[in-house]
Amino acid sequence: MTSATWNGVKIAESDQTVVVEGNHYFPPESVKKDFLRPSSTTSRCPWKGAANYYSLEVDGKTNKDAVWYYADPSTAAANIKGYLAFWNGVEVG
């Protein structure tokens, strides 16, 4: 079972993550959406496509753009469509 924890709170847990380039992508239903806050940040991966972001908010603290996902990935990354990955201090393991 793989989990994502930030600020002492478990944000996601799943035994069905998909690992791409060393990052665990969590199925959307395994993520506690109460902690996600919309972000206008986007980025682009040459082979996965456009990424969108969420910030995390836990106990009044915000971790800006700590979550990313591909809503409409390229065909090569279709297996992670809608899955969420974490970084910026979020412990995944």
Side-chain angles (χ1 to χ4, degrees):
M1 190 70 69
T2 304
S3 63
T5 304
W6 184 69
N7 204 24
V9 175
K10 191 177 294 181
I11 307 298
E13 184 174 58
S14 178
D15 60 358
Q16 297 181 341
T17 64
V18 177
V19 180
V20 177
E21 297 179 328
N23 296 301
H24 283 269
Y25 285 80
F26 288 78
E29 64 275 6
S30 71
V31 178
K32 296 178 182 174
K33 301 205 176 29
D34 294 351
F35 299 115
L36 303 181
R37 300 294 177 263
S39 172
S40 60
T41 301
T42 61
S43 64
R44 184 153 193 80
C45 172
W47 73 272
K48 292 187 292 275
N52 299 92
Y53 290 79
Y54 288 109
S55 294
L56 288 175
E57 189 173 302
V58 175
D59 294 331
K61 295 182 181 177
T62 301
N63 188 343
K64 184 169 172 43
D65 300 334
V67 186
W68 79 92
Y69 66 99
Y70 295 89
D72 190 23
S74 68
T75 303
N79 63 324
I80 59 168
K81 180 176 183 168
Y83 278 46
L84 295 94
F86 301 87
W87 74 303
N88 201 25
V90 178
E91 296 175 18
V92 177

